[in-house]
Amino acid sequence: MAKQRPKIGIAFGAGGVRGFAHVGVLKVLKAHNVPIDYVAGSSMGALVAGLYGVGQTPEAMEKFAKLFKRKYYLDYIVPKMGFVKGDKVLELIRILTKRKRIEDLQIPVAIIAADLLSGNKVVFREGDLAEAVRASISIPGIFVPVSYQDQLLVDGGVLERVPTSVVKEMGADIIIGIDVSYYKSEQKVATIYDVILLTIDIMGREIYKQQQSEKSLMIKPVVKQSNGLLFKDVDSIILAGEQATEQKMVQLKNMIANWKENDID
């Protein structure tokens, strides 16, 4: 039996606090009644994907974003493999994701991490959701990596900043990629955190250029905040997601209207 509409998947990209722009994207998609069949995320995008998968509404996510403070998730330690141990953020994620397993979520969800030992991408499609998200947000040098099945897992954005290829593999006919990276040629670099985050941003940007598909719709919110760990101006970040999505709605609706089931890459 022919499908009545294309399956739509969202790839939520990495970007620290700039990832709250994903909430603005979801608000607009909901307002336009755009169905979402699959979600995948790297780093901060993994958290948003997990929250959406357990049924958190964009409105609930917006309230959480405005209340979020670094003191809720940072547990500093003497540096060995990272400055932040990550136990506090793991427990916070457990609460927000209702202690769910990935395979039990309302829609298919994929969480992306990178294995430092093999250099391979790791895609979680089952297992403890909070643990998978904790692995995906492990920014190298800042968060202590997660040991999992003989692997040492770090931020999924290291290998796939915007995991469009994963969403395609999940079965999406139309893929919405959300890139919240930030880079400009002249900007202030003052701390080790700036160095680490900017390095990942540059690397991720170059990798993503090679991953885009004609079946993907790219949304790139204009978020001027360069520091991905500085939790401020959340309202403007969410608004940037809304504005960028509204600008793409005509194109998205045309892609949906013109989709044919046999029109594949």
Side-chain angles (χ1 to χ4, degrees):
M1 181 177 178
K3 289 186 287 187
Q4 298 300 308
R5 65 167 180 82
K7 295 292 185 180
I8 299 174
I10 300 184
F12 296 105
V17 69
R18 299 190 300 271
F20 283 133
H22 298 317
V23 177
V25 174
L26 287 172
K27 288 177 65 179
V28 172
L29 294 179
K30 179 181 177 181
H32 285 271
N33 297 311
V34 175
I36 300 171
D37 301 288
Y38 309 99
V39 295
S42 292
S43 198
M44 187 63 166
L47 176 59
V48 175
L51 293 175
Y52 190 81
V54 300
Q56 298 281 11
T57 65
E59 292 76 18
M61 291 187 219
E62 183 173 18
K63 290 179 181 178
F64 158 70
K66 292 177 179 179
L67 293 173
F68 200 71
K69 307 294 181 183
R70 281 190 290 182
K71 66 181 180 180
Y72 296 150
Y73 75 90
L74 292 184
D75 43 4
Y76 290 105
I77 59 172
V78 176
K80 184 176 180 182
M81 288 195 291
F83 289 95
V84 180
K85 187 177 181 181
D87 289 348
K88 287 178 66 175
V89 72
L90 176 60
E91 186 54 34
L92 177 60
I93 296 169
R94 284 197 194 285
I95 294 170
L96 293 173
T97 57
K98 306 177 183 179
R99 304 184 183 275
K100 294 280 189 177
R101 293 182 62 82
I102 299 173
E103 62 268 30
D104 296 330
L105 301 184
Q106 296 184 8
I107 64 172
V109 172
I111 305 297
I112 292 78
D115 178 20
L116 276 181
L117 303 181
S118 67
N120 293 329
K121 177 172 66 179
V122 177
V123 179
F124 289 93
R125 295 290 305 276
E126 59 183 19
D128 186 284
L129 175 58
E131 291 182 0
V133 172
R134 165 65 180 89
S136 186
I137 66 170
S138 300
I139 302 170
I142 296 179
F143 282 90
V144 173
V146 171
S147 296
Y148 175 79
Q149 295 184 354
D150 298 322
Q151 298 170 318
L152 195 61
L153 304 181
V154 296
D155 194 315
V158 169
L159 289 179
E160 193 159 6
R161 166 172 290 283
V162 185
T164 52
S165 69
V166 175
V167 176
K168 181 178 179 180
E169 291 167 2
M170 294 171 77
D173 301 305
I174 293 175
I175 301 162
I176 302 171
I178 310 167
D179 182 5
V180 293
S181 61
Y182 175 93
Y183 181 77
K184 63 180 181 179
S185 58
E186 297 180 4
Q187 56 186 309
K188 183 178 179 181
V189 179
T191 70
I192 186 173
Y193 303 108
D194 295 331
V195 172
I196 292 170
L197 292 172
L198 284 173
T199 299
I200 295 174
D201 272 346
I202 294 169
M203 180 174 60
R205 182 184 56 169
E206 293 305 311
I207 292 173
Y208 187 66
K209 287 179 181 179
Q210 306 171 25
Q211 297 173 334
Q212 296 186 58
S213 162
E214 65 181 30
K215 297 303 177 187
S216 299
L217 175 71
M218 191 62 190
I219 297 176
K220 186 171 175 55
V222 180
V223 180
K224 297 180 179 180
Q225 183 169 316
S226 60
N227 189 329
L229 293 179
L230 187 60
F231 284 77
K232 69 173 187 177
D233 300 329
V234 171
D235 287 309
S236 66
I237 294 172
I238 294 174
L239 179 61
E242 294 179 39
Q243 293 172 334
T245 309
E246 286 287 3
Q247 292 172 3
K248 295 285 188 175
M249 281 310 305
V250 171
Q251 183 180 350
L252 175 60
K253 289 181 178 180
N254 285 337
M255 290 174 70
I256 295 172
N258 295 329
W259 172 82
K260 295 181 178 62
E261 188 169 357
N262 61 353
D263 184 16
I264 59 176
D265 287 339

